[in-house]
C-alpha cells in the first residue's frame, strides 16, 4: 500500500514536471513578438534613401518616410509601456511598412539624379565636416546638454571613420558610417539652431537697448559699456564710438534673462553702475556693481510670481557685477560678467557711478550667426 502511494506521488510529480515546459511554452506563445525586423527593414530603407540623396532629389517622399518611421518608434515605445501580454504591435508594423515603402519610392525617384557612390561620399564627407565646424564655431560656448555634446562627439567619430574607409576605397563601409554620422550631426545642429532661434526672438529689443545706450554716449560725450553675451565681449563706447573690446565670461546658465536668485543667469537689460569696488572690497580683484534688479526686473519678477511661472518661494537676485578674476576660458560666475584682471583695470579706470551698462544676448542677428 505504501509502495503504491509512493509511486502515485512519483507519477504526479512527473506529470507536474512535464507540464511546466508546456505551460512556459504556452505563455511564451501569448507574448506578442516585437516588430524588430519591420523596424530594422524600415531603418535600412531610410538609410538607403539617405544614400540615394533622397532628401534632396525626392524630398516629399523622404520626409514622409522619416515621419512615418518616427511615428512607428513612438508607437513602439507606447506599447512597451503596457503589460507584456497586452501589447499590440499592429500599428507599429503598419507604420514601419509604410515608412519602408515610402523610403523605397524616394530611393527610386532619386537614383536617376544622383552621382556615383564615390562622388556622393566625397560630397557628404565634405558637407558633414562643414556641419561639425559650424557646430564648434556657433555653439562652443552655448550652454547645451551633456547629451547634445555626446551625440556630436559620436557623430564626429563616425565621420572620421567614414573618411578613413573612403581613403581605403571601402565605399560601402564608408557609407554605413557616414549615414549614422549624418543623422547625429545634422539633427544635433538643427535642434541647437532651433534653441538659438528661440533665444534670438528678443533681438529687436536688444537692438533698441544698444541704440539708446550709444545715442546717450554720443549726446553726453560720455562712456558707456555694452555686454554682448553671445559674442563674449565687453565693449566700451566713448562719445558714441566703440573704443575697446574685452573678452568676458558669464554665468553658468547665461542664456536668457536672469529670473530668480541662484539661477546662475546673467541678466539682460539697461543698467547703470552704482558702486566701484577696489581691490580691498571684493575678492575678484576689482568690481563694478550694477543696479540689478531695476524697476523693470522687479516688475517682471512680480508677474512671474503672479502667473505661476516662478515658484512662490522664489526670490529675486542681486549683487550683479562686472568684475575681475576672469580669463578661465569657461563660464563660471553666478551671473556676473568676469574679465581678466588686466582688462578689468582698464574698464575700472574709465567707469564711474552712473555709467550705463547695457547687457544683451547679441549685437548680430541670427541669420548672420547661422550662415
Amino acid at each position: 500500500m505504501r509502495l503504491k502511494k509512493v509511486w502515485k506521488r512519483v507519477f504526479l510529480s512527473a506529470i507536474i514536471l512535464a507540464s511546466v515546459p508546456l505551460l512556459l511554452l504556452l505563455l511564451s506563445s501569448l507574448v506578442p513578438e516585437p516588430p524588430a525586423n519591420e523596424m530594422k527593414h524600415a531603418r535600412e530603407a531610410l538609410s538607403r534613401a539617405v544614400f540615394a540623396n533622397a532628401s534632396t532629389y525626392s524630398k516629399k517622399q523622404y520626409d514622409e518616410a522619416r515621419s512615418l518611421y518616427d511615428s512607428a518608434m513612438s508607437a513602439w515605445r507606447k506599447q512597451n509601456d503596457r503589460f507584456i501580454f497586452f501589447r499590440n504591435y499592429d500599428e507599429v508594423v503598419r507604420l514601419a511598412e509604410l515608412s519602408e515603402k515610402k523610403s523605397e519610392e524616394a530611393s527610386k525617384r532619386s537614383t536617376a539624379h544622383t552621382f556615383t557612390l564615390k562622388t556622393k561620399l566625397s560630397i557628404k564627407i565634405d558637407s558633414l565636416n562643414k556641419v561639425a565646424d559650424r557646430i564648434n564655431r556657433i555653439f562652443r560656448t552655448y550652454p547645451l546638454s551633456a547629451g547634445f555634446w555626446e551625440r556630436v562627439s559620436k557623430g564626429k567619430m563616425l565621420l572620421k571613420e567614414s573618411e578613413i574607409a573612403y581613403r581605403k576605397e571601402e565605399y560601402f563601409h564608408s557609407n554605413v558610417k557616414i549615414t549614422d554620422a549624418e543623422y547625429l550631426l545634422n539633427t544635433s545642429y538643427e535642434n541647437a539652431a532651433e534653441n538659438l532661434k528661440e533665444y534670438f526672438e528678443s533681438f529687436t529689443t536688444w537692438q533698441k537697448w544698444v541704440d539708446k545706450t550709444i545715442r546717450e554716449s554720443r549726446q553726453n560725450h560720455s562712456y558707456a559699456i555694452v555686454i554682448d553675451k553671445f559674442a563674449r565681449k565687453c565693449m566700451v563706447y566713448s562719445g558714441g564710438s566703440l573704443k575697446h573690446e574685452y573678452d568676458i565670461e558669464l554665468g553658468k546658465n547665461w542664456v536668457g534673462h536672469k529670473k530668480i536668485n541662484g539661477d546662475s543667469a546673467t541678466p539682460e537689460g539697461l543698467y547703470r553702475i552704482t558702486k566701484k569696488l577696489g581691490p580691498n572690497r571684493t575678492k575678484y580683484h576689482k568690481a563694478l556693481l550694477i543696479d540689478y534688479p531695476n524697476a523693470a526686473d522687479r516688475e517682471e519678477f512680480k508677474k512671474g510670481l503672479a502667473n505661476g511661472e516662478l515658484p512662490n518661494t522664489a526670490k529675486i537676485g542681486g549683487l550683479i557685477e562686472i568684475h575681475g578674476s576672469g580669463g578661465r576660458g569657461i563660464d563660471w560666475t553666478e551671473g556676473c560678467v568676469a574679465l581678466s584682471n588686466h582688462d578689468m583695470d582698464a574698464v575700472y579706470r574709465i567707469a564711474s557711478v552712473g555709467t550705463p551698462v547695457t547687457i544683451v544676448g547679441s549685437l548680430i542677428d541670427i541669420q548672420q550667426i547661422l550662415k
Side-chain angles (χ1 to χ4, degrees):
M1 192 74 174
R2 180 184 293 177
L3 185 62
K4 231 175 181 186
K5 289 182 179 179
V6 169
W7 278 108
K8 187 176 182 181
R9 279 199 293 276
V10 170
F11 181 69
L12 288 172
S13 298
I15 290 174
I16 292 170
L17 288 173
S19 300
V20 169
L22 292 173
L23 181 60
L24 292 174
L25 184 62
L26 177 62
L27 288 173
S28 66
S29 69
L30 296 175
V31 177
E33 185 176 350
N37 282 335
E38 288 85 352
M39 292 301 294
K40 178 174 179 286
H41 294 156
R43 185 167 59 253
E44 289 174 345
L46 268 176
S47 293
R48 289 193 294 272
V50 171
F51 171 74
N53 227 0
S55 61
T56 298
Y57 298 109
S58 186
K59 189 174 187 332
K60 181 181 177 182
Q61 286 75 17
Y62 175 79
D63 288 346
E64 288 177 4
R66 171 69 69 183
S67 177
L68 286 164
Y69 179 80
D70 290 341
S71 296
M73 285 295 295
S74 177
W76 192 359
R77 284 193 291 269
K78 286 180 181 178
Q79 290 302 319
N80 286 343
D81 289 338
R82 303 180 69 186
F83 183 62
I84 191 169
F85 293 113
F86 298 157
R87 295 173 185 172
N88 187 326
Y89 295 110
D90 290 350
E91 180 66 5
V92 181
V93 171
R94 186 184 74 83
L95 291 168
E97 289 176 347
L98 280 174
S99 174
E100 181 182 0
K101 183 179 178 181
K102 283 292 179 182
S103 292
E104 295 297 347
E105 283 181 24
S107 296
K108 289 176 183 178
R109 283 173 175 269
S110 63
T111 297
H113 303 284
T114 56
F115 300 106
T116 63
L117 175 58
K118 180 179 178 180
T119 302
K120 286 186 294 184
L121 286 171
S122 176
I123 292 170
K124 282 189 177 182
I125 288 170
D126 181 63
S127 175
L128 281 186
N129 272 311
K130 290 177 180 176
V131 172
D133 290 342
R134 195 176 298 125
I135 290 173
N136 287 340
R137 174 175 57 84
I138 298 172
F139 300 106
R140 180 177 55 84
T141 58
Y142 196 75
L144 293 163
S145 68
F148 170 85
W149 290 112
E150 286 172 9
R151 290 191 296 275
V152 169
S153 178
K154 185 176 180 181
K156 288 180 178 178
M157 180 187 70
L158 289 167
L159 174 58
K160 183 57 65 177
E161 290 174 357
S162 177
E163 288 183 280
I164 292 171
Y166 179 85
R167 287 196 292 270
K168 292 180 178 179
E169 298 185 357
E170 298 172 356
Y171 300 128
F172 178 81
H173 183 61
S174 176
N175 183 63
V176 171
K177 297 291 184 181
I178 204 71
T179 299
D180 290 338
E182 185 175 38
Y183 178 76
L184 287 168
L185 291 175
N186 282 342
T187 56
S188 294
Y189 175 77
E190 288 165 7
N191 291 338
E194 283 304 311
N195 184 294
L196 191 63
K197 287 175 183 176
E198 288 181 16
Y199 177 42
F200 270 67
E201 288 176 0
S202 298
F203 181 73
T204 301
T205 300
W206 299 338
Q207 277 186 311
K208 291 177 181 177
W209 290 346
V210 172
D211 290 345
K212 180 180 179 181
T213 302
I214 294 174
R215 187 165 57 249
E216 180 181 334
S217 170
R218 184 183 303 112
Q219 290 171 350
N220 297 338
H221 303 286
S222 59
Y223 283 105
I225 297 170
V226 174
I227 303 296
D228 183 332
K229 295 203 290 186
F230 190 84
R232 339 292 292 170
K233 294 293 182 182
C234 169
M235 288 165 283
V236 175
Y237 288 82
S238 178
S241 298
L242 178 62
K243 298 298 182 183
H244 306 285
E245 281 190 9
Y246 305 101
D247 294 329
I248 59 172
E249 292 150 2
L250 301 166
K252 290 171 281 189
N253 184 32
W254 61 266
V255 173
H257 184 49
K258 186 173 183 63
K259 294 182 178 179
I260 61 173
N261 183 50
D263 62 6
S264 296
T266 301
E268 295 172 4
L270 295 160
Y271 303 102
R272 292 187 183 274
I273 295 171
T274 59
K275 191 179 293 185
K276 296 180 67 172
L277 304 173
N280 298 325
R281 300 178 64 193
T282 175
K283 62 180 179 180
Y284 299 117
H285 182 61
K286 293 176 183 176
L288 302 169
L289 182 68
I290 66 172
D291 60 341
Y292 174 87
N294 59 22
D297 298 321
R298 286 191 288 271
E299 183 63 26
E300 185 177 340
F301 180 75
K302 288 178 183 177
K303 286 181 181 177
L305 289 175
N307 61 27
E309 181 184 341
L310 302 176
N312 292 331
T313 56
K315 295 181 179 179
I316 196 165
L319 297 177
I320 298 298
E321 301 172 338
I322 301 173
H323 61 60
S325 299
R328 305 182 189 186
I330 60 169
D331 291 316
W332 57 274
T333 77
E334 296 302 318
C336 296
V337 177
L339 289 79
S340 69
N341 290 347
H342 178 268
D343 292 343
M344 188 63 217
D345 286 338
V347 175
Y348 190 87
R349 277 195 300 271
I350 64 95
S352 59
V353 172
T355 296
V357 176
T358 297
I359 306 175
V360 298
S362 177
L363 297 179
I364 300 173
D365 65 45
I366 189 72
Q367 286 75 24
Q368 289 179 276
I369 289 171
L370 293 179
K371 68 180 181 181

